[in-house]
Amino acid sequence: MNKFAFVTGANKGIGYEIVRQLAEQNYHVFLGSRNEELGKKAIQSLGFANVSFVQVDISDTDSIQNAKNKILEVTNHLDLLINNAGIALDFGILPSELKIETLRKGFDVNFFGTFQMIQQFLPLVKNSQGGKIVNLTTDMASQTMFDNGQAGQLNILGYNSSKTAVNSLTLAFGKEFGDNGPEIFGVTPGFTTTDLNHNAPGGKTPVEGAQIIVKYALSDTNYNGKILDKNGIIPW
Ligand SMILES: NC(=O)c1ccc[n+]([C@@H]2O[C@H](COP(=O)([O-])OP(=O)(O)OC[C@H]3O[C@@H](n4cnc5c(N)ncnc54)[C@H](OP(=O)(O)O)[C@@H]3O)[C@@H](O)[C@H]2O)c1
Protein backbone atom coordinates (compact mmCIF):
# COMPACT_ATOMS: atom_id res chain seq x y z
CA MET A 1 0.00 0.00 0.00
CA ASN A 2 1.22 3.51 -0.80
CA LYS A 3 2.35 5.65 2.11
CA PHE A 4 0.81 9.11 2.38
CA ALA A 5 1.93 12.16 4.38
CA PHE A 6 0.44 15.64 4.76
CA VAL A 7 2.76 18.47 5.85
CA THR A 8 1.24 21.88 6.62
CA GLY A 9 3.09 25.17 6.12
CA ALA A 10 5.41 23.49 3.67
CA ASN A 11 5.98 26.16 1.05
CA LYS A 12 9.20 27.15 2.85
CA GLY A 13 11.36 26.62 5.90
CA ILE A 14 11.42 23.38 7.87
CA GLY A 15 8.15 22.10 6.37
CA TYR A 16 9.50 22.36 2.83
CA GLU A 17 12.50 20.24 3.78
CA ILE A 18 10.30 17.71 5.62
CA VAL A 19 8.38 17.25 2.35
CA ARG A 20 11.61 16.67 0.43
CA GLN A 21 12.91 14.12 2.95
CA LEU A 22 9.63 12.17 3.03
CA ALA A 23 9.34 12.23 -0.76
CA GLU A 24 12.86 10.75 -0.92
CA GLN A 25 11.55 7.92 1.29
CA ASN A 26 8.86 7.22 -1.33
CA TYR A 27 5.96 8.75 0.56
CA HIS A 28 3.32 10.43 -1.51
CA VAL A 29 3.46 13.83 0.17
CA PHE A 30 0.73 16.45 0.16
CA LEU A 31 2.52 19.79 0.43
CA GLY A 32 0.24 22.12 2.38
CA SER A 33 0.46 25.85 1.81
CA ARG A 34 -2.03 28.60 2.61
CA ASN A 35 -0.83 30.56 -0.42
CA GLU A 36 -1.54 28.76 -3.68
CA GLU A 37 1.14 30.49 -5.73
CA LEU A 38 3.88 29.87 -3.15
CA GLY A 39 2.77 26.26 -2.70
CA LYS A 40 2.84 25.54 -6.42
CA LYS A 41 6.25 27.20 -6.74
CA ALA A 42 7.52 24.96 -3.95
CA ILE A 43 6.18 21.88 -5.72
CA GLN A 44 7.95 22.93 -8.91
CA SER A 45 11.28 23.62 -7.26
CA LEU A 46 11.21 20.29 -5.39
CA GLY A 47 10.62 18.48 -8.67
CA PHE A 48 9.16 15.19 -7.33
CA ALA A 49 6.39 13.28 -9.08
CA ASN A 50 5.19 12.02 -5.68
CA VAL A 51 4.48 15.47 -4.16
CA SER A 52 1.19 17.26 -4.73
CA PHE A 53 -0.18 20.61 -3.67
CA VAL A 54 -2.97 21.06 -1.15
CA GLN A 55 -4.10 24.51 -0.15
CA VAL A 56 -4.69 24.83 3.58
CA ASP A 57 -4.99 27.74 5.95
CA ILE A 58 -5.08 26.03 9.34
CA SER A 59 -6.88 28.97 10.96
CA ASP A 60 -9.82 28.54 8.57
CA THR A 61 -12.27 25.67 9.15
CA ASP A 62 -13.58 25.69 5.55
CA SER A 63 -10.05 25.59 4.19
CA ILE A 64 -9.22 22.56 6.36
CA GLN A 65 -12.38 20.79 5.16
CA ASN A 66 -11.56 21.57 1.53
CA ALA A 67 -8.04 20.21 2.04
CA LYS A 68 -9.48 17.04 3.52
CA ASN A 69 -11.85 16.58 0.58
CA LYS A 70 -8.98 17.06 -1.86
CA ILE A 71 -6.88 14.43 -0.08
CA LEU A 72 -9.86 12.04 0.09
CA GLU A 73 -10.00 12.13 -3.73
CA VAL A 74 -6.59 10.41 -3.66
CA THR A 75 -6.52 8.32 -0.48
CA ASN A 76 -8.62 7.43 2.56
CA HIS A 77 -5.56 6.99 4.78
CA LEU A 78 -2.74 9.21 6.01
CA ASP A 79 0.34 7.57 7.51
CA LEU A 80 1.74 10.89 8.66
CA LEU A 81 0.10 14.17 9.54
CA ILE A 82 2.85 16.70 10.22
CA ASN A 83 1.42 19.81 11.89
CA ASN A 84 4.27 22.11 10.95
CA ALA A 85 2.49 25.38 10.12
CA GLY A 86 3.09 27.98 12.80
CA ILE A 87 3.65 31.65 13.51
CA ALA A 88 5.66 33.63 16.05
CA LEU A 89 4.46 37.21 16.31
CA ASP A 90 6.03 38.49 19.52
CA PHE A 91 9.80 38.33 19.14
CA GLY A 92 11.27 41.18 21.19
CA ILE A 93 7.98 41.91 22.99
CA LEU A 94 7.88 41.49 26.77
CA PRO A 95 4.82 39.83 28.34
CA SER A 96 3.84 43.17 29.91
CA GLU A 97 3.84 44.79 26.46
CA LEU A 98 2.09 42.01 24.53
CA LYS A 99 -1.18 43.03 22.91
CA ILE A 100 -4.13 40.72 23.49
CA GLU A 101 -4.79 40.69 19.72
CA THR A 102 -1.27 39.38 19.08
CA LEU A 103 -1.68 36.71 21.75
CA ARG A 104 -5.02 35.63 20.25
CA LYS A 105 -3.64 35.53 16.70
CA GLY A 106 -0.79 33.24 17.76
CA PHE A 107 -3.19 30.88 19.51
CA ASP A 108 -5.58 30.99 16.58
CA VAL A 109 -2.99 29.43 14.26
CA ASN A 110 -0.69 27.45 16.54
CA PHE A 111 -3.23 26.02 18.96
CA PHE A 112 -6.77 26.22 17.52
CA GLY A 113 -5.46 25.56 14.01
CA THR A 114 -3.48 22.49 15.06
CA PHE A 115 -6.43 21.24 17.10
CA GLN A 116 -8.77 21.48 14.12
CA MET A 117 -6.26 19.78 11.83
CA ILE A 118 -6.03 16.86 14.26
CA GLN A 119 -9.80 16.49 14.65
CA GLN A 120 -10.48 16.70 10.93
CA PHE A 121 -7.73 14.36 9.79
CA LEU A 122 -7.91 11.83 12.61
CA PRO A 123 -10.21 9.45 10.68
CA LEU A 124 -7.65 9.29 7.85
CA VAL A 125 -4.77 8.73 10.29
CA LYS A 126 -6.79 5.98 12.00
CA ASN A 127 -7.28 4.32 8.60
CA SER A 128 -3.53 3.81 8.37
CA GLN A 129 -1.78 0.97 10.20
CA GLY A 130 0.66 2.81 12.48
CA GLY A 131 -0.57 6.28 11.58
CA LYS A 132 1.18 9.17 13.34
CA ILE A 133 0.48 12.82 14.07
CA VAL A 134 3.56 14.96 14.65
CA ASN A 135 3.21 18.42 16.16
CA LEU A 136 6.04 20.93 15.84
CA THR A 137 6.89 22.47 19.19
CA THR A 138 9.72 24.32 20.91
CA ASP A 139 11.84 23.63 23.98
CA MET A 140 10.72 27.05 25.25
CA ALA A 141 7.21 25.58 25.57
CA SER A 142 8.47 23.13 28.17
CA GLN A 143 7.73 24.84 31.48
CA THR A 144 10.47 22.81 33.17
CA MET A 145 13.17 23.59 30.61
CA PHE A 146 12.20 27.25 30.24
CA ASP A 147 12.28 27.65 34.00
CA ASN A 148 15.55 25.82 34.63
CA GLY A 149 17.42 27.43 31.73
CA GLN A 150 17.82 24.30 29.59
CA ALA A 151 15.69 25.86 26.84
CA GLY A 152 16.21 29.01 24.81
CA GLN A 153 15.49 32.02 26.99
CA LEU A 154 13.33 34.15 24.69
CA ASN A 155 10.52 35.31 26.97
CA ILE A 156 7.95 35.46 24.18
CA LEU A 157 4.74 34.64 25.98
CA GLY A 158 2.54 34.55 22.88
CA TYR A 159 4.58 32.03 20.92
CA ASN A 160 5.81 29.98 23.86
CA SER A 161 2.43 29.60 25.56
CA SER A 162 0.68 28.71 22.29
CA LYS A 163 3.17 25.86 21.88
CA THR A 164 2.72 24.86 25.54
CA ALA A 165 -0.97 24.54 24.68
CA VAL A 166 0.00 22.39 21.68
CA ASN A 167 2.01 20.18 24.05
CA SER A 168 -1.04 19.94 26.26
CA LEU A 169 -3.21 18.74 23.41
CA THR A 170 -0.47 16.28 22.45
CA LEU A 171 -0.71 14.78 25.94
CA ALA A 172 -4.52 14.79 25.93
CA PHE A 173 -4.91 13.12 22.52
CA GLY A 174 -2.09 10.75 23.45
CA LYS A 175 -4.03 9.64 26.54
CA GLU A 176 -7.10 9.11 24.36
CA PHE A 177 -5.17 7.00 21.83
CA GLY A 178 -3.40 4.84 24.42
CA ASP A 179 -1.13 2.01 23.31
CA ASN A 180 -2.99 0.80 20.25
CA GLY A 181 -2.40 3.72 17.94
CA PRO A 182 -2.58 6.11 16.33
CA GLU A 183 0.44 7.90 17.76
CA ILE A 184 0.70 11.60 18.48
CA PHE A 185 3.81 13.35 19.71
CA GLY A 186 5.55 16.73 19.64
CA VAL A 187 9.05 17.38 18.31
CA THR A 188 11.19 20.48 18.53
CA PRO A 189 13.76 20.95 15.77
CA GLY A 190 15.69 23.33 18.06
CA PHE A 191 16.74 26.79 16.95
CA THR A 192 16.67 26.80 13.16
CA THR A 193 17.36 29.85 11.04
CA THR A 194 14.14 30.55 9.08
CA ASP A 195 11.71 33.36 8.29
CA LEU A 196 9.93 32.55 11.57
CA ASN A 197 12.76 34.16 13.54
CA HIS A 198 13.59 36.70 10.80
CA ASN A 199 16.50 34.47 9.80
CA ALA A 200 18.36 35.03 13.05
CA PRO A 201 21.92 33.73 12.55
CA GLY A 202 23.42 30.77 14.39
CA GLY A 203 20.60 28.25 14.06
CA LYS A 204 20.41 24.93 12.28
CA THR A 205 19.65 24.91 8.58
CA PRO A 206 16.06 23.95 7.63
CA VAL A 207 17.49 20.69 6.25
CA GLU A 208 18.97 19.86 9.68
CA GLY A 209 15.80 20.91 11.51
CA ALA A 210 13.70 18.74 9.21
CA GLN A 211 15.98 15.72 9.74
CA ILE A 212 15.09 15.72 13.45
CA ILE A 213 11.36 15.73 12.69
CA VAL A 214 11.63 13.06 10.00
CA LYS A 215 13.80 10.82 12.20
CA TYR A 216 10.98 10.56 14.76
CA ALA A 217 8.22 10.46 12.15
CA LEU A 218 9.82 7.35 10.62
CA SER A 219 10.97 5.75 13.88
CA ASP A 220 9.78 2.28 14.92
CA THR A 221 9.66 3.41 18.57
CA ASN A 222 6.24 4.42 19.89
CA TYR A 223 6.44 7.97 21.28
CA ASN A 224 2.72 8.43 21.82
CA GLY A 225 1.92 11.37 24.11
CA LYS A 226 5.53 12.55 24.45
CA ILE A 227 7.45 15.67 23.51
CA LEU A 228 10.91 15.23 22.05
CA ASP A 229 14.03 17.09 21.07
CA LYS A 230 16.95 15.76 19.04
CA ASN A 231 18.18 13.72 22.03
CA GLY A 232 14.88 12.12 23.07
CA ILE A 233 11.96 12.74 25.44
CA ILE A 234 11.92 16.13 27.18
CA PRO A 235 9.95 17.25 30.26
CA TRP A 236 6.62 19.13 30.11
N1 LIG B 1 12.70 28.00 13.35
C1 LIG B 1 12.86 27.58 14.60
O1 LIG B 1 13.86 27.89 15.29
C2 LIG B 1 11.83 26.70 15.23
C3 LIG B 1 12.10 26.14 16.49
C4 LIG B 1 11.14 25.33 17.10
C5 LIG B 1 9.95 25.07 16.44
N2 LIG B 1 9.71 25.64 15.20
C6 LIG B 1 8.43 25.36 14.56
O2 LIG B 1 8.64 24.80 13.28
C7 LIG B 1 7.51 25.07 12.45
C8 LIG B 1 7.99 25.60 11.10
O3 LIG B 1 8.61 26.84 11.32
P1 LIG B 1 9.74 27.47 10.38
O4 LIG B 1 10.84 27.88 11.27
O5 LIG B 1 10.00 26.61 9.22
O6 LIG B 1 8.97 28.81 9.96
P2 LIG B 1 8.63 29.50 8.56
O7 LIG B 1 9.76 29.38 7.60
O8 LIG B 1 8.14 30.86 8.92
O9 LIG B 1 7.42 28.61 7.99
C9 LIG B 1 6.17 28.62 8.61
C10 LIG B 1 5.17 28.04 7.67
O10 LIG B 1 3.88 28.05 8.29
C11 LIG B 1 2.97 28.63 7.39
N3 LIG B 1 1.79 29.19 8.04
C12 LIG B 1 1.71 30.23 8.91
N4 LIG B 1 0.44 30.45 9.25
C13 LIG B 1 -0.31 29.52 8.60
C14 LIG B 1 -1.70 29.24 8.52
N5 LIG B 1 -2.62 29.98 9.19
N6 LIG B 1 -2.11 28.21 7.76
C15 LIG B 1 -1.23 27.47 7.06
N7 LIG B 1 0.10 27.71 7.05
C16 LIG B 1 0.54 28.72 7.82
C17 LIG B 1 3.77 29.67 6.64
O11 LIG B 1 3.09 30.08 5.45
P3 LIG B 1 3.40 31.52 4.74
O12 LIG B 1 4.65 31.35 3.93
O13 LIG B 1 2.18 31.74 3.90
O14 LIG B 1 3.55 32.53 5.83
C18 LIG B 1 5.02 28.85 6.37
O15 LIG B 1 4.81 27.97 5.29
C19 LIG B 1 6.64 26.06 13.23
O16 LIG B 1 5.57 25.37 13.82
C20 LIG B 1 7.59 26.59 14.30
O17 LIG B 1 6.92 27.03 15.44
C21 LIG B 1 10.62 26.43 14.59
Side-chain angles (χ1 to χ4, degrees):
M1 192 150 71
N2 276 344
K3 295 221 168 232
F4 291 94
F6 185 22
V7 185
T8 60
N11 52 290
K12 66 180 184 182
I14 297 166
Y16 177 83
E17 295 299 337
I18 294 173
V19 171
R20 186 203 305 278
Q21 291 172 27
L22 291 175
E24 284 168 353
Q25 298 297 318
N26 295 321
Y27 276 76
H28 183 102
V29 190
F30 299 105
L31 181 154
S33 168
R34 61 178 163 176
N35 179 301
E36 183 169 354
E37 198 186 326
L38 295 178
K40 288 187 170 165
K41 261 193 194 154
I43 298 266
Q44 256 190 353
S45 70
L46 282 166
F48 287 96
N50 53 326
V51 176
S52 44
F53 169 69
V54 172
Q55 186 164 24
V56 67
D57 180 337
I58 68 163
S59 65
D60 178 341
T61 307
D62 289 345
S63 173
I64 294 176
Q65 273 163 359
N66 290 340
K68 181 173 155 184
N69 290 337
K70 191 154 180 219
I71 288 176
L72 282 172
E73 287 171 12
V74 182
T75 174
N76 74 344
H77 77 275
L78 266 187
D79 300 281
L80 293 173
L81 170 63
I82 314 262
N83 288 313
N84 168 79
I87 53 173
L89 303 175
D90 55 337
F91 281 105
I93 301 176
L94 289 170
S96 60
E97 296 163 349
L98 179 62
K99 290 200 172 82
I100 183 80
E101 294 79 12
T102 310
L103 182 64
R104 274 195 217 282
K105 218 169 159 187
F107 265 76
D108 202 27
V109 174
N110 295 350
F111 179 64
F112 294 112
T114 301
F115 170 75
Q116 282 204 85
M117 282 295 301
I118 293 168
Q119 270 201 342
Q120 283 292 330
F121 283 93
L122 189 53
L124 283 81
V125 176
K126 282 186 171 170
N127 281 342
S128 152
Q129 279 246 322
K132 296 185 194 182
I133 300 169
V134 182
N135 299 324
L136 275 276
T137 187
T138 167
D139 55 7
M140 296 185 294
S142 159
Q143 305 297 275
T144 304
M145 292 175 76
F146 189 60
D147 183 42
N148 72 15
Q150 276 180 283
Q153 287 298 298
L154 299 175
N155 195 10
I156 44 178
L157 173 66
Y159 179 67
N160 292 348
S161 63
S162 71
K163 292 289 188 175
T164 303
V166 168
N167 290 350
S168 182
L169 74 72
T170 302
L171 180 60
F173 276 100
K175 295 277 183 203
E176 178 179 336
F177 299 162
D179 293 332
N180 302 318
E183 258 177 80
I184 184 169
F185 52 82
V187 185
T188 173
F191 171 34
T192 305
T193 299
T194 65
D195 286 352
L196 186 95
N197 43 43
H198 313 290
N199 294 293
K204 298 183 180 70
T205 63
V207 172
E208 293 166 335
Q211 280 166 349
I212 294 167
I213 312 303
V214 170
K215 179 184 92 171
Y216 288 115
L218 301 184
S219 167
D220 288 333
T221 306
N222 187 321
Y223 289 108
N224 185 44
K226 303 296 182 197
I227 46 171
L228 304 147
D229 70 6
K230 67 177 187 331
N231 298 317
I233 295 168
I234 59 173
W236 300 104

